[in-house]
Amino acid sequence: MNQLNDSLLRLITETATNLPADVRKVLGRAGKLEREGSRSGQALNIINRNVDMAKDREQPLCQDTGMPTFIVHTPVGVNQIQIKLAIHSAIEEATRQGKLRPNSVDSITGKNAGLNLGPGTPVVHFEQWEENEIEVLLILKGGGCENKNAQYSLPDELPPLGRADRNLEGVYKCIMYAVQQAQGQGCSAGFLGVCIGGDRTSGYEGAKQQLFRDLGDTNPMPELADLEERIVRDANTLGIGTMGFGGGVTLLGCKIGAQNRLPASFFVSVAYNCWAFRRLGVRLDSQTGEINRWMFRAENPQRMAADEGIPTTGREIVLNTPLSEADVRELKVGDVVLLNGPMYTGRDALHKYLMTNDSPVNLEGAALYHCGPVMLKDEDGRWHVKAAGPTTSIREEPYQAEVLRKFGIRAVIGKGGMGKRTLDALTEVGAVYLNAIGGAAQVYAENITAVDGVDFLEEFGIPEAMWHLRVKDFVAVVTMDSHGNSLHADVESESMIRLGELAPA
Ligand code: SF4
């Protein structure tokens, strides 16, 4: 199978950079459903532009290239060990080429060896089948949406929907509750794979399997087909919208399957996938490893964005970093800003570090970006940004308020919003939270004009290091201001009221 390595590298590269045909179709339709000029409408325009850029440049759609998960079907007699080794070698090469971010971290030491290999990484499931070809399916599901997966054990109480019993109405309540709880943190508008039944492990596996169904298919079980439709329709009345900005497009697809269960158990497992729904497949010749055909791939994809430039409205507020208190006190929730100047990245490891240590750079007035970029070093030792969208900010909630107070930071940039402790600190010190568009990693990479330096690269690894960036026209929405207002809190409470209205009387 001399072609196997190349075929697998091609599969990984295409999956990371070229959104599947069925996903493009529903995303394109969604753009027309949001009000022109609304925050969600502008976010969808930026997402569509990002999809085009990723394909054109063959660069990652999102900087979080997720946990590579392969499902492999082999004819009887094919050597699965050889396939597994080829997958590992293709993963390593794709990581070297910057198609995958080094995402595999030792859970005990916190070390990132940088190659996306290690215990549990990548995930590979093998099954034999009666066909002559090898089928390899791959999904790259990032951490932001993976953290929004949910599993329920019925019966359960799910306020404001009431008791979820062991029947399809109970399943409906679990799924709707999961969507409301996710808000925009999993980079809505999202897609759901759901499994009814199984045990705790097979339930989650079954839910992820559903993500490999074509978005245009119809569930062969009529009652599940009805439920899938009802979920998408009702979820889009919750008002969460793209990125949780409020709007009419919250969910783009829902696929539900069922497995037998133990009499004592009734699990409902929900796998939430962000808009950057990256999954493709190939059928390989079992003698040569050559690709015979692709699955889900957009062969000659249509342009997703109406224009070539970054979608702006002309009403954006232009700001230069470092920011003054007066700059940020002027800003209100809903304002869209374009940032210019220095910006620093910082995620979990840096926030924890800053709690008890000094910063290696002066952060007075700084913009701190919750981002773990994909970076590549050239032969001259210069770093280049390959993908740089925001990460989920709520993880930094235990640290953010203290870091804001200690260092005089004026803008925190991320996605999905933060909690009450951060909101109070923003008000106290005069700072804002800016929501960037999750997954728009190519758009933001384009906005980064220089890499001025890096700290903690050895200690924390590429995604967690503190990168010193210089940005131009970096677009973000003020979703938490310095006057105690939070768009996230408003959308969350309004969507909870609407969820309650969906409960049967
Ligand atoms: S689009 Fe959002 S949730 Fe999806 S992988 Fe990227 S950052 Fe994570």
Side-chain angles (χ1 to χ4, degrees):
M1 289 210 280
N2 54 346
Q3 293 293 308
L4 184 61
N5 280 28
D6 286 352
S7 298
L8 292 170
L9 181 58
R10 200 65 232 142
L11 173 65
I12 296 166
T13 303
E14 283 286 307
T15 309
T17 62
N18 183 8
L19 205 64
D22 57 342
V23 181
R24 285 169 176 268
K25 203 166 158 188
V26 291
L27 204 54
R29 278 205 303 261
K32 298 187 180 72
L33 297 176
E34 287 294 9
R35 209 163 29 86
E36 190 62 35
S38 65
R39 287 182 298 262
S40 284
Q42 188 172 12
L44 270 171
N45 287 339
I46 291 172
I47 284 171
N48 281 327
R49 176 78 187 114
N50 190 71
V51 173
D52 289 340
M53 290 169 78
K55 167 75 181 149
D56 292 347
R57 300 167 169 198
E58 207 177 72
Q59 294 297 334
L61 274 153
C62 176
Q63 76 291 336
D64 185 355
T65 52
M67 172 64 81
T69 303
F70 294 83
I71 298 176
V72 186
H73 290 101
T74 57
V76 176
V78 165
N79 184 339
Q80 295 184 346
I81 297 170
Q82 189 188 356
I83 295 178
K84 196 166 184 177
L85 288 172
I87 286 176
H88 285 199
S89 129
I91 286 279
E92 203 174 319
E93 183 54 28
T95 309
R96 273 204 195 94
Q97 292 183 10
K99 310 300 180 194
L100 295 179
R101 184 176 74 181
N103 259 358
S104 182
V105 176
D106 184 308
S107 293
I108 309 303
T109 64
K111 283 279 173 209
N112 186 335
L115 293 174
N116 272 316
L117 297 176
T121 318
V123 176
V124 187
H125 299 289
F126 282 103
E127 259 183 58
Q128 285 193 331
W129 68 355
E130 301 283 352
E131 312 238 354
N132 293 323
E133 292 173 313
I134 300 167
E135 181 182 83
V136 186
L137 301 170
L138 169 62
I139 187 165
L140 300 174
K141 186 173 183 295
C145 59
E146 183 69 8
N147 290 349
K148 294 291 128 189
N149 292 354
Q151 193 172 59
Y152 303 90
S153 175
L154 300 191
D156 199 358
E157 274 301 323
L158 299 173
L161 293 168
R163 194 179 62 244
D165 292 312
R166 291 181 162 193
N167 54 28
L168 287 187
E169 202 52 36
V171 171
Y172 166 83
K173 289 180 181 179
C174 293
I175 301 171
M176 290 300 297
Y177 190 76
V179 174
Q180 195 279 336
Q181 293 293 297
Q183 292 290 302
Q185 289 169 9
C187 289
S188 56
F191 299 86
L192 300 182
V194 179
C195 178
I196 305 168
D199 63 16
R200 286 210 183 266
T201 309
S202 64
Y204 264 134
E205 267 179 30
K208 283 198 178 170
Q209 285 274 358
Q210 290 295 312
L211 294 174
F212 283 102
R213 278 174 52 196
D214 191 291
L215 290 169
D217 75 3
T218 304
N219 198 310
M221 293 179 73
E223 60 272 50
L224 294 187
D226 289 348
L227 187 58
E228 289 173 355
E229 250 188 71
R230 181 180 169 207
I231 294 283
V232 174
R233 190 182 60 237
D234 288 358
N236 287 331
T237 67
L238 294 179
I240 296 169
T242 306
M243 290 298 127
F245 288 167
V249 184
T250 298
L251 196 65
L252 294 169
C254 175
K255 300 292 178 190
I256 307 173
Q259 292 180 6
N260 282 10
R261 60 182 173 83
L262 293 169
S265 308
F266 194 122
F267 296 112
V268 178
S269 308
V270 181
Y272 187 104
N273 207 106
C274 54
W275 71 261
F277 184 12
R278 291 154 291 175
R279 57 101 170 86
L280 293 178
V282 283
R283 288 288 188 101
L284 304 176
D285 184 300
S286 58
Q287 300 302 313
T288 64
E290 218 168 324
I291 297 174
N292 287 340
R293 71 179 172 93
W294 285 87
M295 298 149 78
F296 304 115
R297 189 173 76 141
E299 294 288 342
N300 295 303
Q302 304 259 321
R303 308 298 292 172
M304 296 289 290
D307 302 307
E308 289 300 302
I310 303 304
T312 48
T313 61
R315 297 190 299 276
E316 291 82 8
I317 298 164
V318 179
L319 290 172
N320 296 316
T321 61
L323 302 165
S324 67
E325 182 172 355
D327 286 336
V328 298
R329 292 279 182 201
E330 288 276 302
L331 296 172
K332 297 180 303 304
V333 159
D335 288 341
V336 182
V337 299
L338 293 177
L339 287 179
N340 297 307
M343 184 182 280
Y344 302 96
T345 66
R347 297 183 14 140
D348 311 46
L350 182 77
H351 279 76
K352 183 159 180 298
Y353 177 88
L354 291 178
M355 294 286 281
T356 47
N357 295 280
D358 274 343
S359 167
V361 292
N362 180 6
L363 290 173
E364 189 68 40
L368 181 65
Y369 187 19
H370 296 163
C371 169
V374 179
M375 306 291 294
L376 273 191
K377 204 182 208 175
D378 67 21
E379 285 161 359
D380 302 324
R382 279 194 300 263
W383 285 102
H384 299 274
V385 184
K386 294 294 170 185
T391 192
T392 312
S393 297
I394 196 69
R395 294 196 311 273
E396 315 316 336
E397 184 67 10
Y399 315 113
Q400 198 67 77
E402 198 165 327
V403 169
L404 277 163
R405 289 190 183 104
K406 190 168 163 188
F407 295 101
I409 292 162
R410 293 279 175 213
V412 173
I413 306 158
K415 71 164 170 94
M418 303 194 72
K420 176 84 170 66
R421 267 190 286 174
T422 299
L423 186 62
D424 290 345
L426 295 174
T427 310
E428 184 189 316
V429 304
V432 284
Y433 177 82
L434 303 173
N435 203 120
I437 312 304
Q442 289 307 310
V443 168
Y444 288 116
E446 173 109 333
N447 290 146
I448 296 166
T449 55
V451 181
D452 291 336
V454 60
D455 284 295
F456 309 117
L457 183 57
E458 280 302 308
E459 298 89 328
F460 300 162
I462 286 179
E464 298 278 343
M466 184 187 208
W467 294 94
H468 308 188
L469 308 175
R470 198 163 288 270
V471 302
K472 176 147 178 33
D473 295 338
F474 185 105
V475 65
V477 181
V478 179
T479 52
M480 295 167 70
D481 64 23
S482 63
H483 309 288
N485 303 306
S486 165
L487 178 69
H488 307 283
D490 294 349
V491 170
E492 188 168 2
S493 61
E494 176 61 26
S495 62
M496 192 52 105
I497 292 168
R498 294 189 188 187
L499 185 67
E501 288 165 1
L502 291 168

